[in-house]
Amino acid sequence: QVQLVESGGGSVQAGGSLRLSCAASGFTYRVNYMGWFRQVPGKEREGVAAIENVVGNARYADVVKGRFTISRDNAKNMVYLQMNSLKPEDTATYYCAAKQVPLWYGVPTLAEAQYDHWGQGTQVTVSS
């Protein structure tokens, strides 16, 4: 059973930075894709960034490109989201997600339906 535990959320002023961490365990396949999603009340969950563990290809939502960086430590089964130049509109609950597959298929997706495992979420609040 894959388990994901997020940490690192909090409150910050606009322009500040936060780093989210996600600890993963229970993978049985060698290849996995991990991503960060976020959700605000009343809105659908949206993909923020994702990364795969073979080549390290990453994908970002347009609204965070140039500000957020996703990275991972495969030896520790950790994935990180470095968030810089934060804006009030980045305020949301951030979720770590994972999908493990038997074969590598390239650049990860930001489609929520493609991910099978989810963390409990961590709140990020950006004040103006």
Side-chain angles (χ1 to χ4, degrees):
Q1 181 75 12
V2 175
Q3 292 189 327
L4 305 172
V5 179
E6 303 101 334
S7 61
S11 298
V12 66
Q13 289 190 328
S17 299
L18 283 173
R19 189 174 88 148
L20 305 182
S21 300
C22 175
S25 61
F27 287 128
T28 55
Y29 287 144
R30 187 180 70 87
V31 181
N32 60 75
Y33 291 74
M34 296 186 71
W36 289 97
F37 291 74
R38 66 186 184 186
Q39 188 172 27
V40 298
K43 293 189 177 181
E44 292 186 355
R45 191 153 48 185
E46 64 172 349
V48 175
I51 190 168
E52 47 87 2
N53 71 330
V54 177
V55 181
N57 289 317
R59 185 187 294 273
Y60 295 91
D62 288 342
V63 293
V64 304
K65 281 182 181 177
R67 299 189 298 122
F68 292 11
T69 302
I70 189 170
S71 62
R72 60 186 301 163
D73 183 332
N74 291 333
K76 297 180 179 179
N77 268 342
M78 296 288 297
V79 66
Y80 307 98
L81 186 67
Q82 178 66 43
M83 305 184 294
N84 298 328
S85 302
L86 282 161
K87 304 175 181 179
E89 50 264 45
D90 294 318
T91 295
T93 300
Y94 283 72
Y95 297 90
C96 179
K99 177 181 179 67
Q100 56 176 349
V101 293
L103 294 173
W104 178 79
Y105 60 79
V107 180
T109 175
L110 293 179
E112 178 183 0
Q114 295 298 312
Y115 290 83
D116 304 313
H117 309 283
W118 296 86
Q120 81 286 354
T122 185
Q123 179 67 33
V124 171
T125 303
V126 184
S127 59
S128 58

